[in-house]
């Protein structure tokens, strides 16, 4: 039972354009969502998060959008840079649950 | 960067042998987690700890045990390794139940 799904295993975007990574969830109890970025041979690093009381959170080039009715969140990267090439994981949590549920990941490749 | 290390970083072992992976933190965080990362599955929680001697199971805990005798160390043990446990293992820490987790560099385990 995959509660958090990233249906696109890979995404290729031209440098300077917008990258949009998508994530869907099934558990309506989730109230906190995060995006992580992972380079090869390294551990994931936290990128940005959003609480269910918001529908948008922005941090520099990164913006996360949350659509609770559709149980969908997305990460926008503008403009995309070569260093953004990595695997991106979305994750979700229920307050008090003490743990995160991760999606399968999307490999983003930024082409020069 | 969060002060979190994992040892060993790489290990090759034979089926049926016991294996222990160590996660060490210098942040004095309460919560510690063990995940495995496999292609197509993202990060899956094996076990986690919410304090010294306080642990609980994650979604893929079969075949694994954990121990936490002091705040800074969280050990993951495969009592009798199987080829299905070949994976990359990540440890993570966080000071609060709800919030971003900080990951270690990972241990690549191969069971032959």
């Amino acid at each position: 039972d995959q509660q958090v799904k990233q249906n696109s295993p890979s995404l290729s975007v031209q440098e300077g354009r917008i990258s949009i990574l998508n994530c869907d969830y099934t558990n309506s109890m989730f109230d906190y969502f995060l995006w992580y970025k992972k380079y090869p041979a390294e551990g994931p690093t936290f990128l940005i998060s959003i609480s269910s009381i918001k529908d948008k959170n922005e941090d520099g080039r990164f913006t996360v959008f949350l659509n609770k009715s559709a149980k969908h969140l997305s990460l926008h990267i503008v403009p995309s840079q070569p260093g953004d090439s990595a695997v991106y994981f979305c994750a979700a949590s229920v307050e008090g649950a003490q743990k995160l549920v991760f999606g399968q990941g999307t490999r983003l490749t930024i082409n020069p | 960067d969060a002060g979190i290390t994992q040892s060993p970083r790489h290990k090759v072992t034979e089926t049926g042998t016991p294996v222990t992976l160590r996660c060490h933190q210098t942040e004095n965080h309460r919560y510690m987690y063990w995940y495995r990362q496999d292609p197509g599955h993202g990060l899956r929680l094996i076990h986690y700890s919410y304090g010294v001697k306080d642990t609980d199971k994650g979604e893929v805990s079969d075949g694994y045990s954990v121990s936490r005798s002091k705040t800074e160390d969280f050990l993951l043990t495969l009592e009798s390794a199987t080829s299905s446990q070949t994976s990359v293992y990540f440890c993570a820490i966080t000071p609060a139940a709800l919030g971003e987790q900080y990951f270690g560099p990972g241990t690549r385990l191969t069971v032959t």
Side-chain angles (χ1 to χ4, degrees):
Chain A
D1 177 26
Q2 189 78 29
Q3 297 186 70
V4 179
K5 297 182 183 180
Q6 295 176 256
N7 292 315
S8 298
S10 62
L11 176 67
S12 186
V13 174
Q14 193 171 4
E15 181 179 358
R17 307 294 290 268
I18 184 171
S19 295
I20 300 176
L21 298 103
N22 294 303
C23 180
D24 297 297
Y25 60 96
T26 57
N27 188 345
S28 58
M29 297 297 291
F30 287 144
D31 53 12
Y32 190 66
F33 303 88
L34 308 89
W35 284 95
Y36 281 82
K37 176 180 180 179
K38 185 185 179 305
Y39 292 121
E42 295 183 11
T45 55
F46 169 73
L47 200 53
I48 192 169
S49 63
I50 188 168
S51 165
S52 61
I53 62 174
K54 295 185 176 182
D55 54 19
K56 176 183 173 181
N57 188 29
E58 198 170 348
D59 184 2
R61 297 186 298 115
F62 302 92
T63 302
V64 55
F65 294 92
L66 176 61
N67 182 335
K68 290 184 287 294
S69 61
K71 295 191 181 68
H72 177 84
L73 67 155
S74 61
L75 175 68
H76 293 211
I77 306 173
V78 182
S80 299
Q81 300 175 354
D84 296 329
S85 294
V87 176
Y88 289 79
F89 293 99
C90 65
S93 178
V94 177
E95 186 172 357
Q98 303 176 352
K99 51 190 178 182
L100 299 175
V101 179
F102 283 84
Q104 307 97 310
T106 297
R107 181 178 301 278
L108 175 65
T109 302
I110 306 301
N111 302 307
Chain B
D1 289 347
I4 178 169
T5 58
Q6 293 183 232
S7 58
R9 293 294 313 279
H10 301 271
K11 186 169 182 67
V12 180
T13 191
E14 293 184 348
T15 297
T17 60
V19 177
T20 295
L21 309 183
R22 180 184 185 230
C23 177
H24 178 78
Q25 62 150 329
T26 58
E27 306 296 320
N28 202 35
H29 286 344
R30 178 182 177 188
Y31 297 90
M32 299 185 75
Y33 304 81
W34 277 107
Y35 294 89
R36 58 179 290 174
Q37 185 199 0
D38 304 289
H41 292 278
L43 292 156
R44 292 182 291 175
L45 182 65
I46 305 171
H47 281 280
Y48 67 102
S49 170
Y50 46 96
V52 173
K53 294 188 174 16
D54 293 323
T55 64
D56 204 351
K57 296 179 179 180
E59 64 175 301
V60 289
S61 59
D62 288 348
Y64 302 94
S65 63
V66 290
S67 66
R68 191 170 178 198
S69 59
K70 43 187 179 176
T71 299
E72 57 265 35
D73 288 326
F74 192 31
L75 304 180
L76 177 70
T77 297
L78 292 66
E79 301 290 347
S80 178
T82 67
S83 58
S84 65
Q85 293 175 312
T86 291
S87 186
V88 181
Y89 291 85
F90 289 100
C91 176
I93 62 175
T94 184
L98 186 67
E100 54 264 33
Q101 295 178 9
Y102 302 95
F103 284 80
T107 294
R108 182 173 293 276
L109 177 67
T110 302
V111 184
T112 61

